[in-house]
Amino acid sequence: MRNAEIPSLHPSTRLIPSRKRIALVAHDNQKEKMASWASKHRTRLIEHELYATAHTADIIAGVLNAPVFRFLSGPLGGDQQIGSRIAESRIDVLIFFWDPLGHQPHDSDVKALLRLATAWNIPNACNAATADCIISSPLFDAEPQAVGEFPNQKSAAEVAPTWTRNTAIRAKKVNLPKTSLY
């Protein structure tokens, strides 16, 4: 249940503060890249509140000589802790250097975290090039603003009835039961 003091906003409508709450996550073989990226952007990063999963937090705090809020290790719930904060509008940016070629024991948590960042419309980067674009954007320093849906974009509530109706029509055409998962 949401805190009564915090207004419930649609995931794509949220207030982005000028002092950002930035979550930094890096898989083991990406930690060196994250440390290098953070060092390169030290001046910008220390102006904001930094959050990271366990070992990444230790590395970033050392590189930046700045405080970093430490979550659990990713596989032990840290990814989920960050995801929870995203859903509560308490993380504004996600920089997640994940390993695209390696198998992670917590792949489902990784996918869930990236899904939440996208669903809640927060800037997120999975590599140094995209992270550079985010942190160097003039919008990054903008005054607090509401990030909302595009004027002509349909909400999920508007799309769902159409999708359900069209799915039912297609199901009839191919003689599949309406409860089919396909």
Side-chain angles (χ1 to χ4, degrees):
M1 192 161 125
R2 279 200 186 267
N3 183 337
E5 297 174 16
I6 300 172
S8 179
L9 298 175
H10 185 274
S12 61
T13 306
R14 46 191 314 292
L15 188 65
I16 304 291
S18 54
R19 181 173 164 87
K20 310 287 186 281
R21 296 160 297 189
I22 303 170
L24 304 164
V25 183
H27 285 160
D28 287 342
N29 65 350
Q30 300 290 314
K31 290 190 190 313
E32 189 175 310
K33 290 178 187 176
M34 175 65 81
S36 175
W37 180 85
S39 178
K40 176 180 167 184
H41 295 287
R42 180 185 187 282
T43 306
R44 304 273 291 164
L45 287 171
I46 62 173
E47 297 171 354
H48 303 280
E49 294 176 31
L50 304 177
Y51 300 81
T53 51
H55 190 57
T56 304
D58 299 339
I59 291 170
I60 298 302
V63 167
L64 300 181
N65 192 26
V68 177
F69 183 89
R70 190 178 197 272
F71 289 111
L72 296 171
S73 170
L76 298 177
D79 294 340
Q80 292 180 355
Q81 288 177 304
I82 292 173
S84 173
R85 291 221 175 187
I86 290 171
E88 294 169 348
S89 297
R90 293 175 24 188
I91 292 290
D92 305 305
V93 177
L94 173 64
I95 308 296
F96 187 175
F97 290 5
W98 58 282
D99 180 5
L101 302 178
H103 177 72
Q104 301 298 322
H106 63 297
D107 271 343
S108 58
D109 295 337
V110 171
K111 187 174 182 180
L113 179 56
L114 294 171
R115 182 184 310 113
L116 283 168
T118 301
W120 283 91
N121 197 29
I122 69 163
N124 62 91
C126 295
N127 57 46
T130 308
D132 287 345
C133 290
I134 290 172
I135 203 161
S136 63
S137 169
L139 297 174
F140 195 79
D141 292 323
E143 288 302 311
Q145 58 185 331
V147 174
E149 297 177 276
F150 295 104
N152 296 326
Q153 182 180 355
K154 291 183 178 181
S155 71
E158 294 170 313
V159 172
T162 303
W163 181 85
T164 304
R165 186 184 71 240
N166 290 344
T167 303
I169 291 168
R170 282 194 299 274
K172 281 185 177 181
K173 286 181 182 176
V174 293
N175 298 321
L176 293 176
K178 287 185 182 180
T179 57
S180 171
L181 298 175
Y182 302 101

